């Protein structure tokens, strides 16, 4: 069947002759069927991460796709695509961040619109994957909402997901389509190498909890730093109590490393413990995703944290300000990943 389609396409291309030059690419989708898509990459976005999508397009040397995402009076999502996507490799950039449910629906409706417009392949580019913390049954009758969202994205028609620093790596297995989970620590390593250099004995990497030890250890190894851990007990969601510090941080510059900051309680309590109990000299903190729900920004401003660095996977909340918070652009890494996906080149170097 695939050979017949290829031959038909080639004959059509020959008939068009020199008037039009068409190049086709063939690949096998997840159902084992041979499909083809045109040469063109097209990038679209919803309302959640418009700025990031524009920066990705600048890195790719492409123009952001012409579309609009609006809402009816009752809150329904309305999507309009103003250019053809037939046969194109479509990338839809949308973090499922605040307002989370609206962002998810915008993404699903955009995927459906492109699917019904005969896009050759659709990749959902989700810099921040919401609902990732609901990845297991912590107690009786709990939902596994991360799996539900994964099913919705797959059912909507996405062929692949591109994301960064999932809260739990096993969420990749919730999808029945390929998932590329980029590692943001490479960007933080470049940033802090410029600030402290490699193997600085006066600097130590600290995990704010046991769950972040693996990612913090990977960061510390690249930086040539020692590792310490803040042991804490979480009484309930968004609240924590620091219990102990594992490792020696006395008199050292501390880099707290985590995957996300939501209300800021965990990382600010950790910073306080490191200074008051551990005798740390000063505290630098970084995390891939700055969710920054209230009162996170106030907590950071009033904390021992000297500098808080995020990747721009989530926009900074409007109506707030902080001299301590800064952002590192994630667009170059996503643009490189998109280019590699399109060209069918390995992405393994972006996972480490």
């Amino acid at each position: 069947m695939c050979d017949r389609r290829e031959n038909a396409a080639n004959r059509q291309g020959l008939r068009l002759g020199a008037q039009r030059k068409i190049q086709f690419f063939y690949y096998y989708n997840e159902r084992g069927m041979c499909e083809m898509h045109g040469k063109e990459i097209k990038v679209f976005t919803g309302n959640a991460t418009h700025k990031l999508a524009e920066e990705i397009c600048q890195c790719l040397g492409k123009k952001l796709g012409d579309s609009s995402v609006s809402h009816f009076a009752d809150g329904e999502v309305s999507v309009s695509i103003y250019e053809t996507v037939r046969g194109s490799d479509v990338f839809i950039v949308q973090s499922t961040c605040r307002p989370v449910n609206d962002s998810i629906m915008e993404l699903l409706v955009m995927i459906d619109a492109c699917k019904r417009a005969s896009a050759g392949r659709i990749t959902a580019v989700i810099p921040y994957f919401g609902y990732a913390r609901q990845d297991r049954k912590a107690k009786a009758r709990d939902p596994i909402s991360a799996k539900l969202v994964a099913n919705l994205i797959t059912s909507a028609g996405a062929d692949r997901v591109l994301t960064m620093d999932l809260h739990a790596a096993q969420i990749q297995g919730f999808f029945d389509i390929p998932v590329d989970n980029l590692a943001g620590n490479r960007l933080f390593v470049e940033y802090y190498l410029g600030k402290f250099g490699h193997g600085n004995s006066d600097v130590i990497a600290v995990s704010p909890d046991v769950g972040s030890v693996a990612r913090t250890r990977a960061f510390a190894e690249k930086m040539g730093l020692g590792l310490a851990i803040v042991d804490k007990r979480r009484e309930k969601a968004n609240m924590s109590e620091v219990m102990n510090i594992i490792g020696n941080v006395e008199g050292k510059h501390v880099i707290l490393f985590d995957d996300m900051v939501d209300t800021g309680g965990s990382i600010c309590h950790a910073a306080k413990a490191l200074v008051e109990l551990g005798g740390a000299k000063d505290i630098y903190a970084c995390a891939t995703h700055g969710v920054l729900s209230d009162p996170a920004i106030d907590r950071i401003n009033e904390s021992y944290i000297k500098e808080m660095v995020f990747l721009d996977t989530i926009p900074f909340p409007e109506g707030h300000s902080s001299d301590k918070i800064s952002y590192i652009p994630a667009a170059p890494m996503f643009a490189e990943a998109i280019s590699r996906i399109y060209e069918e080149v390995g992405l393994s170097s972006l996972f480490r």
Side-chain angles (χ1 to χ4, degrees):
M1 178 63 181
C2 181
D3 291 338
R4 289 199 296 273
R5 291 179 64 180
E6 290 187 62
N7 292 335
N10 291 335
R11 287 197 298 273
Q12 178 66 13
L14 289 173
R15 281 197 295 271
L16 291 171
Q19 294 179 355
R20 291 177 62 189
K21 189 175 182 180
I22 301 178
Q23 185 174 1
F24 296 98
F25 295 84
Y26 299 89
Y27 66 95
Y28 286 89
N29 65 17
E30 288 63 46
R31 295 174 293 277
M33 299 174 62
C34 181
E35 298 185 3
M36 67 180 183
H37 61 85
K39 185 178 180 180
E40 195 169 12
I41 293 176
K42 294 204 173 183
V43 180
F44 295 92
T45 185
N47 293 321
T49 44
H50 196 278
K51 184 174 181 290
L52 176 60
E54 288 183 334
E55 292 173 354
I56 290 172
C57 288
Q58 290 175 5
C59 294
L60 289 170
K62 297 282 184 180
K63 183 180 178 182
L64 185 63
D66 190 6
S67 65
S68 67
V69 180
S70 57
H71 295 261
F72 290 109
D74 63 352
E76 291 182 14
V77 174
S78 174
V79 169
S80 297
I81 308 292
Y82 298 118
E83 59 183 85
T84 181
V85 296
R86 185 176 296 274
S88 297
D89 220 347
V90 173
F91 295 84
I92 301 173
V93 182
Q94 176 85 334
S95 280
T96 53
C97 57
R98 184 190 312 106
V100 177
N101 297 327
D102 285 347
S103 297
I104 290 173
M105 279 305 302
E106 288 180 9
L107 174 64
L108 297 176
V109 176
M110 291 195 79
I111 291 171
D112 184 73
C114 291
K115 178 184 176 182
R116 296 179 187 279
S118 301
R121 181 169 57 178
I122 302 171
T123 300
V125 182
I126 311 174
Y128 166 69
F129 183 78
Y131 283 97
R133 287 170 284 184
Q134 300 183 49
D135 62 330
R136 67 194 185 283
K137 292 186 70 173
K139 60 182 186 297
R141 295 171 295 280
D142 272 1
I144 304 179
S145 304
K147 172 61 176 171
L148 173 62
V149 174
N151 288 343
L152 290 171
I153 292 169
T154 304
S155 298
D159 296 295
R160 177 183 291 269
V161 169
L162 174 63
T163 186
M164 176 176 279
D165 284 341
L166 288 169
H167 186 64
Q170 66 266 23
I171 292 173
Q172 296 173 78
F174 291 178
F175 289 87
D176 296 323
I177 55 178
V179 177
D180 296 312
N181 183 29
L182 305 181
N185 66 13
R186 188 176 79 171
L187 300 176
F188 290 119
V189 169
E190 292 174 359
Y191 177 79
Y192 285 111
L193 282 177
K195 184 181 289 287
F196 297 113
H198 185 272
N200 191 330
S201 60
D202 293 328
V203 182
I204 188 169
V206 177
S207 173
D209 53 39
V210 175
S212 295
V213 170
R215 62 174 61 93
T216 307
R217 180 182 292 114
F219 170 77
E221 288 175 354
K222 292 180 180 180
M223 289 284 296
L225 303 177
L227 176 67
I229 304 168
V230 176
D231 180 32
K232 69 180 183 183
R233 181 178 67 232
R234 187 178 294 276
E235 300 293 341
K236 58 182 179 179
N238 298 129
M239 294 186 66
S240 64
E241 179 184 353
V242 173
M243 299 297 292
N244 197 14
I245 298 171
I246 304 171
N248 181 22
V249 300
E250 187 174 0
K252 294 187 177 183
H253 304 287
V254 167
I255 302 177
L256 275 167
F257 189 87
D258 208 350
D259 67 315
M260 71 168 68
V261 173
D262 187 358
T263 60
S266 294
I267 204 158
C268 291
H269 291 161
K272 181 178 180 181
L274 289 164
V275 172
E276 295 183 356
L277 300 180
K281 185 175 182 179
D282 48 30
I283 309 293
Y284 296 83
C286 61
T288 303
H289 310 296
V291 180
L292 298 180
S293 304
D294 285 335
I297 296 174
D298 291 337
R299 283 176 171 171
I300 292 170
N301 288 338
E302 296 166 3
S303 72
Y304 283 100
I305 295 173
K306 184 175 182 179
E307 178 188 58
M308 182 81 237
V309 181
F310 298 109
L311 303 186
D312 58 352
T313 57
I314 300 174
F316 186 76
E318 295 182 359
H320 294 273
S321 63
S322 175
D323 294 332
K324 292 186 176 183
I325 297 175
S326 59
Y327 287 84
I328 298 174
M333 181 176 282
F334 278 104
E336 183 180 352
I338 288 172
S339 178
R340 286 171 176 259
I341 289 170
Y342 173 70
E343 295 172 359
E344 305 291 351
V345 177
L347 276 73
S348 58
S349 63
L350 302 181
F351 299 152
R352 299 191 292 269

